[in-house]
Amino acid sequence: MKELEVHIGNLRLKSPLMTASGTSGHSGEEMERLATSPQTKASLGAFVTKGITLQPRPGHPEVRIVETRTGLLNSIGLQNKGVKFFVEQELPGLLNFALPIIVNISGSTVDEFSEVASYLNNHDLSETISGIEINVSCPNIKRGGVAFGTDPKQVQRIVKAVRKRTAPRILLITKLTPNIADITLPARAAIEGGSDALSMINTLRGMAINVDTGKPLLGNKTGGLSGPAIKPVGVFMVYECFRKIEQCYKTEIPIIGLGGISTWRDALEYIMAGATAVGVGTAWFVNPNIFKSICNGIKGYVKKRGVKLSDLIGRAHDTKDDTMRC
Ligand SMILES: Cc1cc2nc3c(=O)[nH]c(=O)nc-3n(C[C@H](O)[C@H](O)[C@H](O)COP(=O)(O)O)c2cc1C
């Protein structure tokens, strides 16, 4: 599958497809069942875990998932058993995946992010972990619950703190929130903090109300919207970062695009906007063969046109736009 090979920093991916954090199961067993179907494994370039925090988190009250006409609303609340449990009970199984493993981490303070990263760094003796994806969409408890990701200074501090506690071989990806007017501000801050790559987008804030009861449908009242509805937002944000940030334009800082991808055409849209790789989440719930289907579609496209996938990265950018880039 050489024609689909891409590089994200020091990582060579046999395919540009990755799982999206939080959509690949919440126990080692579940992750294994979902991701080790031979077809899925053959089509994936990397596996991204659910979000891990320092201490176990029970998550938000039920109901946690609501289907809407155009996507999924979730308020899982980062339910997980903490980094110690993850390293002892789940990480060993991920070694069998024979795929680069990227661990998604979250925290409520800058110190919590760096402690999780440090724990992973110091306890991953078999070097199973290839990368850490820093989810900066979570609320900062020291700042009244405002999401870290909307404050570029905080983003830079988190990335810097995580970089300090992790070995240089570990790829650092910063996952950005779309709940902001100008995504290039936290993107630049992440790069300045030492991020090797960016991923975008996380879910968009949303809610749904049951008009019969007059009450919000989610136990947490509000949640994050994923799925087809958010794809144009994600494509735009990738396009903006690629166009306005020189390191992204040169693919020195690769972008992983995600949000609403459910066909190979969706994946190519992200790649043409400037993404080097793409993640798929919500669509995997609907179609267990999604990765194979997207992979085959992209393969067919590049074969028919006699191009390499890397030739398509940023294809949607008219060179006349160059003056607008920085
Ligand atoms: C049920 C669920 C749980 C999620 N958990 C996480 C998480 O733990 N960390 C994270 O960074 N993103 C999390 N996300 C966001 C996804 O990784 C992804 O960014 C988002 O859903 C958009 O992609 P999609 O439309 O393909 O699902 C979660 C999404 C869903 C639907």
Side-chain angles (χ1 to χ4, degrees):
M1 214 163 44
K2 266 268 187 231
E3 68 273 33
L4 295 196
E5 186 175 301
V6 293
H7 289 85
I8 302 281
N10 56 6
L11 277 191
R12 188 185 64 81
L13 311 186
K14 69 177 189 297
S15 137
L17 305 184
M18 300 182 175
T19 54
S21 176
T23 61
S24 46
H26 281 262
S27 70
E29 226 172 75
E30 252 184 308
M31 283 193 273
E32 205 152 337
R33 183 168 45 77
L34 283 167
T36 52
S37 103
Q39 289 180 348
T40 298
K41 243 171 80 173
S43 309
L44 279 174
F47 182 85
V48 183
T49 71
K50 66 187 167 173
I52 311 293
T53 53
L54 192 57
Q55 302 299 338
R57 289 199 187 190
H60 288 316
E62 304 213 346
V63 175
R64 291 175 177 181
I65 295 217
V66 168
E67 275 187 50
T68 75
R69 269 201 298 277
T70 54
L72 203 66
L73 270 174
N74 92 81
S75 65
I76 305 292
L78 293 173
Q79 180 198 4
N80 78 101
K81 293 184 176 161
V83 69
K84 186 168 185 288
F85 181 92
F86 172 76
V87 166
E88 287 170 4
Q89 305 293 326
E90 296 180 339
L91 195 56
L94 297 182
L95 191 58
N96 303 332
F97 282 22
L99 283 171
I101 301 295
I102 295 166
V103 181
N104 181 284
I105 65 167
S106 284
S108 302
T109 62
V110 175
D111 286 346
E112 194 182 338
F113 277 98
S114 81
E115 291 298 319
V116 184
S118 164
Y119 195 96
L120 291 170
N121 186 67
N122 298 341
H123 292 81
D124 176 25
L125 301 180
S126 52
E127 299 198 350
T128 306
I129 302 171
S130 299
I132 289 181
E133 183 177 56
I134 310 169
N135 172 16
V136 292
S137 307
C138 18
N140 177 353
I141 51 168
K142 289 201 171 153
R143 291 193 150 213
V146 177
F148 282 109
T150 59
D151 181 345
K153 281 203 189 92
Q154 294 292 322
V155 171
Q156 190 175 343
R157 282 184 64 205
I158 293 171
V159 179
K160 214 168 172 181
V162 169
R163 181 76 284 172
K164 223 166 141 185
R165 310 283 292 270
T166 46
R169 71 161 193 89
I170 294 184
L171 180 86
L172 276 199
I173 304 166
T174 307
K175 182 162 180 184
L176 301 175
T177 171
N179 298 308
I180 185 165
D182 183 356
I183 188 118
T184 65
L185 300 177
R188 286 185 202 278
I191 295 168
E192 275 156 29
S195 198
D196 301 306
L198 303 172
S199 59
M200 63 194 75
I201 55 176
N202 211 313
T203 54
L204 270 164
R205 289 195 80 187
M207 76 184 294
I209 294 168
N210 179 338
V211 294
D212 296 321
T213 62
K215 301 260 185 281
L217 282 164
L218 286 170
N220 187 50
K221 297 189 174 69
T222 65
L225 183 66
S226 61
I230 72 168
K231 195 195 76 188
V233 179
V235 171
F236 165 69
M237 290 189 162
V238 169
Y239 186 87
E240 278 288 274
C241 287
F242 191 85
R243 184 168 74 88
K244 290 188 174 164
I245 303 175
E246 194 155 8
Q247 297 99 314
C248 294
Y249 190 78
K250 292 182 177 162
T251 62
E252 289 164 3
I253 300 288
I255 302 173
I256 300 155
L258 75 167
I261 296 176
S262 52
T263 67
W264 62 268
R265 287 181 173 275
D266 295 339
L268 281 182
E269 268 192 65
Y270 269 99
I271 290 167
M272 290 181 179
T276 296
V278 293
V280 180
T282 301
W284 200 14
F285 292 140
V286 183
N287 176 3
N289 297 318
I290 189 81
F291 288 105
K292 183 183 173 214
S293 138
I294 294 179
C295 193
N296 285 348
I298 299 179
K299 244 194 252 174
Y301 184 94
V302 295
K303 198 170 167 201
K304 194 168 160 196
R305 284 166 174 77
V307 291
K308 292 199 300 285
L309 186 67
S310 52
D311 298 334
L312 302 176
I313 299 170
R315 173 65 72 88
H317 294 260
D318 188 335
T319 47
K320 279 181 286 185
D321 269 354
D322 277 359
T323 48
M324 294 161 61
R325 234 189 304 134
C326 301

